[in-house]
Amino acid sequence: MSPTFHSLRHRNYRLYWSGMFLSNVGTWMQRIAQDWLVLVVLGGGAQAVGITTGLQFLPFLLVAPFGGLLADRFDKRRLLMLTNTFLGLVGLFLGVLTLTGAAQIWHVYVLAFLLGVGSALDNPARQAFVSELVGKDDLTNAVALNSASFNAARLIGPALAGILIGLIGTGWVFILNGASFVSPILALLLLRGAGGRPKRDPERAGTVSQLREGVSYLWSRPDLLMVVAIMFGLGTFGMNFQMTMALMATDVYGKGPSEYGLLGSIMAIGTLSGALIAARRRVPRRRLIVGGSVVFGLLEVTAGLMPSYVLFAISLVPLGIIAMTIMTAANAYVQTTVPQYVRGRVMSLYMMIFMGGTPFGAPLIGFVAGTFGARWSLLGGGILTTAFALAALLVLAPRSGVVVRTRLRPRPGLVVVTTAPAPAPADEPATVRVA
């Protein structure tokens, strides 16, 4: 492959990465302002925040597979321009409602759901588009750098939102988020030699058969089943930081919007570090996903027990590191072991399972927090995450080439050993029987 082609790919990726960064900052600002609007401005309480979070992630369960199908059938660049436009308009509309004093909790519920619809359609195309911008050898690094962009924005967005909420109010934060989507749209317009409508196989032209083909491929891969099962537990019970940090800041430590926003930025130090560490790995490993999910649950329980705001903030750094390490490894594992012809659909199923449990987990954790106290939003989430990861490991490990052994020396513990390597994706579609 010529140096000119490589340089064009790198230019396109840098341009795309830069365009997404500003939008990611706005997205994190929106999340903080949305929770603050529901919890404090509208007085909805912990359960209302949990419902809002659940509604925002519910579309990943309902429409994400169709997002993957669209990503496999149509020009990903044009699809991404449409989804970013839609997401920007939703942010602007919520800003107008808030600034005019017309916003009510049910408005936030509806718009949070619409944001989720846009994200569920955008995410599979965005994930699969990375593989078209870079070569296979650079895919793992590109996935990690995408996570680094998202979490570098997390370092800035929450703290900036906390400051702006105090200075100009939540409404203008939503307006700024809506405007931030101009950046990725411009970047996508400026890309050269990227995208294009994929070739369609007439034998797989049916929508239902294509969806079933993606499910059948995933079901035929026990190693992928174990990964997505573990990530389901992590996403459903453990990754509710959008809600849990708001509850801890306000109910446990009695802090305001600036201190709440700062927690998101402090955690971003950990998530950004985890993403940069992951970028150094060329091969994602399943044992890292398995062991990391157990460690994550234990660290989340530890965070929930912290007696002061400062110690709680410090505990978020290692929690962020391990969370991002797991997510990057799982994402890269799926992308690098799935052939391109079905990658969009498999990625949409992965995101559906990973994020689709949040509509059930977030209201449950919110109910637990409202009933037993805000600390239990972390204690319960950590315990359930660890338990689910161990259960998935014990049930699915024999089929997926993973062996769990006990160890007494030098210290007691469990050792996770991968006995079968992950299959490399074929360049041509493999025959997958659709039952």
Side-chain angles (χ1 to χ4, degrees):
M1 199 172 292
S2 69
T4 303
F5 183 77
H6 276 298
S7 62
L8 178 59
R9 276 187 161 181
H10 293 160
R11 171 203 174 270
N12 282 340
Y13 181 73
R14 287 194 300 269
L15 183 61
Y16 177 71
W17 192 94
S18 302
M20 290 301 301
F21 177 74
L22 184 58
S23 175
N24 286 334
V25 172
T27 297
W28 281 112
M29 291 169 59
Q30 168 97 9
R31 291 185 180 187
I32 297 298
Q34 179 178 275
D35 287 349
W36 193 258
L37 177 66
V38 172
L39 185 64
V40 178
V41 178
L42 300 178
Q47 197 160 2
V49 176
I51 292 172
T52 303
T53 303
L55 287 171
Q56 190 161 343
F57 286 90
L58 180 61
F60 281 92
L61 189 62
L62 301 178
V63 303
F66 296 97
L69 180 60
L70 292 174
D72 281 340
R73 295 178 68 173
F74 300 104
D75 183 347
K76 296 179 183 63
R77 181 167 66 165
R78 293 183 180 179
L79 180 59
L80 287 170
M81 286 191 285
L82 289 174
T83 55
N84 277 275
T85 300
F86 176 78
L87 290 168
L89 290 175
V90 173
L92 291 173
F93 188 66
L94 181 56
V96 171
L97 284 177
T98 306
L99 288 173
T100 58
Q104 300 178 35
I105 288 182
W106 73 268
H107 292 142
V108 183
Y109 288 167
V110 172
L111 293 174
F113 180 80
L114 291 177
L115 280 174
V117 170
S119 298
L121 295 176
D122 174 88
N123 206 282
R126 179 159 45 86
Q127 299 284 355
F129 190 54
V130 173
S131 65
E132 296 183 5
L133 292 177
V134 300
K136 178 183 174 182
D137 292 340
D138 296 326
L139 182 57
T140 301
N141 305 84
V143 170
L145 288 174
N146 269 5
S147 298
S149 170
F150 188 69
N151 288 282
R154 188 177 188 171
L155 191 64
I156 300 170
L160 183 59
I163 295 171
L164 291 176
I165 289 171
L167 291 176
I168 58 177
T170 55
W172 284 108
V173 175
F174 297 135
I175 295 293
L176 290 173
N177 171 57
S180 71
F181 284 95
V182 174
S183 176
I185 294 171
L186 287 176
L188 289 164
L189 287 171
L190 292 173
L191 293 180
R192 292 186 300 174
R197 184 170 178 170
K199 296 179 180 178
R200 295 175 59 181
D201 188 337
E203 295 181 1
R204 298 193 181 98
T207 299
V208 175
S209 64
Q210 286 201 0
L211 290 173
R212 291 170 63 191
E213 183 181 40
V215 174
S216 296
Y217 181 87
L218 179 61
W219 188 255
S220 71
R221 291 277 304 275
D223 58 318
L224 290 181
L225 287 176
M226 189 181 73
V227 169
V228 297
I230 290 174
M231 296 306 291
F232 171 80
L234 184 74
T236 301
F237 305 116
M239 298 293 293
N240 290 298
F241 298 121
Q242 182 178 344
M243 173 183 63
T244 55
M245 288 192 296
L247 298 177
M248 291 293 286
T250 56
D251 294 357
V252 176
Y253 304 117
K255 301 299 182 180
S258 297
E259 292 88 351
Y260 165 45
L262 185 60
L263 289 178
S265 294
I266 290 173
M267 187 171 190
I269 297 174
T271 53
L272 177 59
S273 301
L276 293 176
I277 292 170
R280 299 172 63 88
R281 297 189 185 93
R282 297 190 65 85
V283 180
R285 300 187 182 278
R286 280 172 285 167
R287 62 187 179 188
L288 177 63
I289 301 168
V290 174
S293 60
V294 175
V295 173
F296 172 88
L298 298 176
L299 287 175
E300 189 166 36
V301 170
T302 302
L305 295 172
M306 288 298 168
S308 69
Y309 173 84
V310 173
L311 291 176
F312 175 70
I314 293 173
S315 72
L316 294 178
V317 176
L319 191 60
I321 290 175
I322 192 66
M324 186 49 55
T325 299
I326 300 167
M327 288 190 291
T328 302
N331 188 309
Y333 183 85
V334 175
Q335 291 213 52
T336 55
T337 63
V338 173
Q340 185 174 1
Y341 82 98
V342 77
R343 187 174 294 148
R345 281 165 285 174
V346 173
M347 284 304 301
S348 70
L349 291 170
Y350 164 74
M351 297 306 300
M352 180 187 75
I353 295 170
F354 175 39
M355 307 181 76
T358 303
F360 306 104
L364 174 63
I365 296 298
F367 172 77
V368 169
T371 304
F372 301 103
R375 288 188 184 275
W376 277 97
S377 64
L378 287 168
L379 298 177
I383 292 170
L384 289 171
T385 299
T386 300
F388 200 93
L390 291 174
L393 177 62
L394 293 175
V395 173
L396 295 172
R399 295 179 54 201
S400 60
V402 174
V403 175
V404 182
R405 300 171 181 166
T406 58
R407 179 184 63 191
L408 297 177
R409 295 179 180 179
R411 57 184 182 275
L414 295 177
V415 178
V416 179
V417 180
T418 303
T419 59
D427 293 333
E428 297 297 329
T431 300
V432 179
R433 183 174 64 87
V434 180

